[in-house]
Amino acid sequence: MRNSSVWLAAARISLMVILVSSITSLVPGGVEADEVRKAVEAANGQWAAAFNRGDAVAVAALYTEGATLMPPDRQIVRGRQGIQEFWQGAIQRGLKDAVLTTVEVQADGNTAYEIGRISLTVHAKDQTPKPISNKYVVVWKRQADGSWKLHVDIWNSVPAK
Amino acid sequence: MRNSSVWLAAARISLMVILVSSITSLVPGGVEADEVRKAVEAANGQWAAAFNRGDAVAVAALYTEGATLMPPDRQIVRGRQGIQEFWQGAIQRGLKDAVLTTVEVQADGNTAYEIGRISLTVHAKDQTPKPISNKYVVVWKRQADGSWKLHVDIWNSVPAK
């Protein structure tokens, strides 16, 4: 009897632990979701600041080491080094004034996806600055230190107004 | 003593449950990941079959009710009805011969992302069929019945060979 009551108590507590953790992870739009959205928006702020000062190294540092970049009309770019070179090229082509707007964030465990919009301006030599509007999806991964990094980044254009 | 040993046993078992479930959910590329990839590839097979027979209703049924479609040079399309209309339009413009190739799938809880490639052919009236190559990211959501549905779908072009 004594042994069985121990196991019964253990089983009850285990069940409660499973239930509570399941419910917590299933609640959409809770405290966790707000926190992830804030972390993503903060990282986007750093992304835009780094890009707009022409610092491709700092931009690339916001991606995971094995991140995937999927620019339009290009092959898939794999890894932080290639991502740095891609953004360095974009900066050299005169892209700046990046403004990122998060439309939606949903997190599940250590992964989140974000839908957003980015506007930029192309400052090409001897030409009037030209605005660009894109929409994007970013898959974010929570790191061991609790920060969130871009893991997959894909975008395409929206129609000119 | 008797009470404290009950709680100790309960605490130990609870800790084991937490540890085992954490480890299971953290293992990348395990049985779970294989299963998700297989489910995604099977759903992609259904997507291509439906699209290639011109059945936009069946294509749209593979998306979640509140899914987001992000086609190049278009505004964001929200919801299954709009998604059906978009694919209906693509079918009417002569797109067919869709072949989807999954490059990577990673799952976290009830969410997975897929990186893939899609090739299509445009059969426009009185014109030679023209091949199209795109790459895409799809965020998949596991449904209550265990199936996986497309929840976010974005793509862009790859350079012509």
Side-chain angles (χ1 to χ4, degrees), chain A residues 33-99:
Chain A
D34 282 353
E35 273 171 21
V36 175
R37 186 177 176 124
K38 275 180 198 159
V40 161
E41 287 180 333
N44 281 342
Q46 290 179 279
W47 195 103
F51 186 83
N52 292 340
R53 69 174 184 266
D55 186 349
V57 175
V59 172
L62 296 167
Y63 290 78
T64 62
E65 191 60 55
T68 303
L69 196 75
M70 298 170 71
D73 308 318
R74 300 272 193 133
Q75 294 296 341
I76 293 173
V77 179
R78 294 271 190 187
R80 198 181 272 164
Q81 182 61 35
I83 289 171
Q84 181 185 317
E85 285 160 17
F86 177 83
W87 290 123
Q88 188 63 53
I91 290 162
Q92 279 162 0
R93 286 196 306 278
L95 269 82
K96 56 175 76 167
D97 310 325
V99 177

Side-chain angles (χ1 to χ4, degrees), chain A residues 2 5-7 9-10 13-14 17-18 26 68 70-76 78 103-104 106 108-111 113 115-117 135-137 139 141 151-152 154-159, chain B residues 2 5-7 9-10 13-14 17-18 26 68 70-76 78 103-104 106 108-111 113 115-117 135-137 139 141 151-152 154-159:
Chain A
R2 187 178 178 172
S5 69
V6 169
W7 285 105
I13 293 174
S14 301
V17 167
I18 295 170
L26 286 175
T68 303
M70 298 170 71
D73 308 318
R74 300 272 193 133
Q75 294 296 341
I76 293 173
R78 294 271 190 187
V103 174
E104 183 186 329
Q106 278 190 33
D108 201 340
N110 293 316
T111 308
Y113 75 81
I115 295 172
R117 297 180 183 281
K135 56 192 183 299
Y136 64 79
V137 171
V139 177
K141 285 274 180 189
H151 188 59
V152 181
I154 182 169
W155 66 95
N156 61 35
S157 58
V158 293
Chain B
R2 184 176 176 171
S5 68
V6 170
W7 286 105
I13 292 173
S14 302
V17 167
I18 295 170
L26 286 175
T68 303
M70 299 172 71
D73 308 318
R74 300 275 192 128
Q75 293 297 342
I76 293 173
R78 294 270 191 187
V103 174
E104 184 184 328
Q106 279 190 33
D108 202 341
N110 293 316
T111 309
Y113 75 81
I115 295 173
R117 299 179 181 280
K135 57 193 183 296
Y136 64 81
V137 172
V139 177
K141 287 273 181 191
H151 189 58
V152 182
I154 182 170
W155 66 95
N156 61 33
S157 58
V158 293

Side-chain angles (χ1 to χ4, degrees), chain B residues 15-122:
Chain B
L15 199 64
M16 272 178 59
V17 167
I18 295 170
L19 279 175
V20 169
S21 49
S22 304
I23 290 166
T24 309
S25 69
L26 286 175
V27 171
V31 175
E32 161 74 8
D34 281 353
E35 274 171 20
V36 176
R37 184 176 177 126
K38 274 179 199 161
V40 162
E41 287 180 333
N44 281 341
Q46 291 179 281
W47 195 105
F51 186 83
N52 292 340
R53 69 174 184 263
D55 186 349
V57 175
V59 173
L62 297 167
Y63 290 78
T64 63
E65 192 59 56
T68 303
L69 195 74
M70 299 172 71
D73 308 318
R74 300 275 192 128
Q75 293 297 342
I76 293 173
V77 179
R78 294 270 191 187
R80 197 181 273 165
Q81 182 61 34
I83 290 171
Q84 181 186 319
E85 285 160 16
F86 176 84
W87 289 123
Q88 188 64 53
I91 290 162
Q92 279 163 359
R93 286 196 307 280
L95 269 82
K96 58 175 76 169
D97 310 326
V99 177
L100 284 81
T101 309
T102 299
V103 174
E104 184 184 328
V105 176
Q106 279 190 33
D108 202 341
N110 293 316
T111 309
Y113 75 81
E114 178 200 6
I115 295 173
R117 299 179 181 280
I118 179 170
S119 67
L120 300 137
T121 316
V122 192

